[in-house]
């Protein structure tokens, strides 16, 4: 079994997600107490995919996150660098155009997508700035980015309880339901070390995105960031 380190070597992260691919969606539902489904609905609203639009869902894994965009009539490309995730996704959704790709060097031309989105994956890419610039590059002028990522709870006492859950309760729960519980120790550590909401907004602006804003979900445990590429 593989556990990535916080320097996020791409091969370590990819292998780690290969290991957990088969039960990844179930594990997420259990560990988030069902909140993961609510978060996906909020992402779908923020992306606001329309018929005939092209949507890139980066770090899509098994494409659970991609389904709302397809159901809205958009052409959605689920992209991930974990071949294990892509294989499981292709078995479940054989009609979807799964694409293997590195978030720091996307296999797409400039100005292709009306919307780009990444849910709970930006944190696992080695160079956050490079990923945000790549997402910007492949977005059409006037297009939008939506990032859903774990963040920092806004109320101090709640933040303390949440961080205790991450580091103490999450690993035992993961051992019960995940095929690679060590992967979830890494995920807990990566959440604690991730930039807060204003810091991620600054990174988006540095990458070129404009009209950057964010909205907290579940008390700031998760944040939705959105930005636009100037026309």
């Amino acid at each position: 079994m593989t556990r990535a380190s916080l320097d996020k070597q791409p091969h370590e992260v990819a292998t780690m997600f290969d290991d957990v691919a088969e039960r990844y969606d179930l594990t997420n539902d259990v560990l988030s107490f069902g909140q993961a489904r609510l978060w996906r609905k909020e992402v779908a609203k923020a992306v606001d995919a329309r018929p005939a639009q092209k949507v890139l869902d980066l770090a899509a894994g098994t494409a659970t996150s991609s389904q709302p965009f397809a159901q809205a009539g958009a052409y959605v490309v689920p992209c991930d660098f974990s071949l294990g995730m892509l294989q499981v996704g292709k078995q479940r959704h054989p009609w979807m155009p799964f694409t293997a790709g590195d978030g720091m060097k996307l296999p797409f031309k400039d100005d292709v997508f009306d919307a780009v989105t990444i849910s709970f994956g930006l944190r696992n890419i080695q160079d956050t700035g490079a990923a945000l610039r790549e997402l910007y590059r492949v977005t059409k002028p006037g297009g939008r980015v939506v990032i859903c990522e774990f963040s920092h709870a806004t109320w101090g006492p709640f933040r303390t309880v949440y961080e205790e859950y991450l580091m103490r309760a999450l690993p035992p729960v993961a051992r019960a339901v995940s095929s690679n519980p060590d992967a979830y120790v890494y995920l807990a550590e990566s959440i604690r070390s991730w930039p807060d909401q204003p810091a991620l907004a600054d990174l988006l602006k540095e990458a070129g995105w404009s009209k950057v804003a964010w909205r907290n979900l579940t008390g700031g445990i998760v944040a939705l960031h959105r930005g636009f590429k100037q026309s």
Side-chain angles (χ1 to χ4, degrees):
M1 292 298 182
T2 300
R3 171 186 168 188
S5 56
L6 285 182
D7 61 2
K8 303 172 191 173
Q9 293 297 320
H11 69 280
E12 290 182 354
V13 177
T15 303
M16 183 184 70
F17 280 102
D18 290 346
D19 287 344
V20 300
E22 195 66 47
R23 303 182 71 183
Y24 183 72
D25 295 316
L26 169 64
T27 305
N28 282 352
D29 276 343
V30 172
L31 294 177
S32 70
F33 302 103
Q35 290 291 297
R37 298 185 184 194
L38 169 66
W39 298 333
R40 281 196 293 272
K41 288 180 181 178
E42 293 302 319
V43 171
K45 289 179 189 176
V47 171
D48 192 24
R50 305 291 177 86
Q53 287 188 338
K54 292 181 180 177
V55 177
L56 171 63
D57 188 12
L58 184 58
T62 61
T64 299
S65 59
S66 307
Q67 298 311 303
F69 313 131
Q71 291 163 3
Y75 178 79
V76 56
V77 177
C79 181
D80 204 288
F81 73 162
S82 165
L83 297 181
M85 286 285 198
L86 294 173
Q87 287 167 357
V88 171
K90 195 68 175 176
Q91 291 168 3
R92 296 176 182 174
H93 314 290
W95 62 90
M96 298 194 76
F98 286 88
T99 303
D102 182 345
M104 296 184 292
K105 193 174 181 180
L106 293 171
F108 308 107
K109 295 180 180 179
D110 297 354
D111 306 332
V112 172
F113 296 98
D114 297 282
V116 295
T117 184
I118 180 169
S119 293
F120 307 111
L122 186 61
R123 195 181 72 259
N124 300 315
I125 298 176
Q126 189 175 39
D127 188 331
T128 304
L132 294 175
R133 290 190 295 273
E134 273 293 272
L135 287 171
Y136 186 87
R137 179 183 66 78
V138 302
T139 302
K140 293 178 181 178
R144 57 211 182 271
V145 63
V146 173
I147 296 170
C148 181
E149 188 53 88
F150 288 112
S151 197
H152 295 259
T154 54
W155 187 47
F158 179 47
R159 183 166 57 245
T160 300
V161 171
Y162 172 59
E163 290 185 354
E164 285 291 307
Y165 165 73
L166 279 177
M167 300 313 297
R168 295 192 181 189
L170 187 146
V173 174
R175 278 194 290 275
V177 295
S178 173
S179 54
N180 182 7
D182 280 348
Y184 287 86
V185 176
Y186 155 79
L187 291 174
E189 292 174 347
S190 69
I191 290 168
R192 289 184 69 180
S193 65
W194 184 244
D196 65 11
Q197 292 88 326
L200 181 54
D202 287 342
L203 289 173
L204 277 157
K205 293 172 187 174
E206 290 171 11
W209 297 98
S210 62
K211 300 179 183 175
V212 174
W214 75 84
R215 180 162 59 92
N216 290 318
L217 303 177
T218 319
I221 285 177
V222 168
L224 279 183
H225 282 71
R226 186 167 66 177
F228 294 87
K229 184 171 179 175
Q230 292 183 332
S231 302

